């Protein structure tokens, strides 16, 4: 999708302010950065960037959801994160100037604000508080990835699946999730068939409800027990 017309400096400044990353910048500096940022819109399913592509910018999600995945040579992938409004991505390649380390795809229609590497580095040099916040973002991503790798390596599929449902549901007691069984499989390193068997058993027991493409959590407490390895399928 082609770039949309560049937003006014005031609009871009307001949009950047939505991201906690830029909360430590004074208004003059924020407006300077906003004047160099540009806005892009992506349709659902459209690729934002691919692994190994040049990484000369960082993106902030203004609206929609972007999925970050790690693909393998045999065509499989693992979902690393689904990022929503106010979150940033592409920060790793921006910092070291190297190639992208993952794929980014618009999961829904997305509105992104793009900040080029040269402009962001100038801000980081001038405002250490932003550099510290960016390091916090990186650390949180690394912790999340380490946790996911550990789950895939050491936990059984029911435990991994329960953790994924609770994580995506955000702790809501009756969360309603629009996730396909294939998507869940890529999140937890399992097959669609194994996810299907597990979900159907939980549906039979009343832990979840499968309804026209939705997964509804009916018994969050039971799902919590499964996520701790206290109950099986």
């Amino acid at each position: 999708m082609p770039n949309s017309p560049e937003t006014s400096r005031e609009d871009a400044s307001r949009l950047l302010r939505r991201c906690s990353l830029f909360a430590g910048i004074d208004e003059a500096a924020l407006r300077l950065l906003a004047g160099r940022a540009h806005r892009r819109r992506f349709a659902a399913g459209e690729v934002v960037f691919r692994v190994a592509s040049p990484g000369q910018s960082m993106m902030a999600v203004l609206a929609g959801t972007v999925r970050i995945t790690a693909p393998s040579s045999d065509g499989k992938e693992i979902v690393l994160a689904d990022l929503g409004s106010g979150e940033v991505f592409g920060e790793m390649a921006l910092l070291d100037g190297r190639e992208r380390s993952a794929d980014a795809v618009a999961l829904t229609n997305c509105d992104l604000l793009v900040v080029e590497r040269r402009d962001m580095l100038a801000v980081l040099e001038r405002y250490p508080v932003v550099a510290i916040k960016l390091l916090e973002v990186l650390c949180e991503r690394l912790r999340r990835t380490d946790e996911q790798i550990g789950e895939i390596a050491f936990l059984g599929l029911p435990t991994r699946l329960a953790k994924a449902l609770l994580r995506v549901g955000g702790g809501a007691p009756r969360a309603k999730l629009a996730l396909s069984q294939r998507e869940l499989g890529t999140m937890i390193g399992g097959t669609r068939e194994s996810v299907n068997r597990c979900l159907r058993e939980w549906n039979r027991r009343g832990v979840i409800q499968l309804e026209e493409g939705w997964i509804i959590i009916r018994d969050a407490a039971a799902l919590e027990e499964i996520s701790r390895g206290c109950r099986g399928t």
Side-chain angles (χ1 to χ4, degrees), residues 132-193:
I132 292 171
K133 287 193 175 186
L134 190 54
L135 286 173
E136 290 174 353
V137 170
L138 280 168
C139 288
E140 176 59 29
R141 300 269 167 84
L142 286 171
R143 287 179 185 277
R144 193 184 305 171
T145 301
D146 287 347
E147 181 180 346
Q148 193 168 7
I149 291 171
E151 288 175 2
I152 291 172
F154 301 115
L155 301 180
L157 184 132
T159 302
R160 304 198 310 267
L161 182 56
K163 283 180 175 291
L165 293 177
L166 291 168
R167 187 160 52 234
V168 176
R174 284 187 62 86
K176 189 175 181 180
L177 314 177
L179 287 168
S180 71
Q181 293 173 9
R182 178 182 176 279
E183 288 172 331
L184 281 169
T186 64
M187 284 183 178
I188 65 172
T191 64
R192 187 196 67 79
E193 292 76 15

Side-chain angles (χ1 to χ4, degrees), residues 1-8 11-12 14-15 18 37-49 59-66 89 104-114:
M1 179 176 289
N3 287 5
S4 63
E6 190 169 325
T7 59
S8 70
D11 286 343
R14 174 177 52 80
L15 295 169
R18 293 183 192 174
H38 59 278
R39 196 169 179 173
R40 288 199 64 185
R41 291 191 173 95
F42 292 84
E46 191 173 358
V47 174
V48 179
F49 56 70
M59 291 82 168
V61 183
L62 305 177
T65 303
V66 174
F89 64 101
V105 178
L107 196 59
T108 65
N109 292 338
C110 288
D111 196 2
L112 308 180
L113 201 65
V114 183

Side-chain angles (χ1 to χ4, degrees), residues 67-87:
R67 172 161 289 176
I68 309 298
T69 61
S72 66
S73 57
D74 60 1
K76 297 179 181 179
E77 63 180 16
I78 294 178
V79 176
L80 300 178
D82 287 343
L83 305 177
S85 178
E87 297 190 88

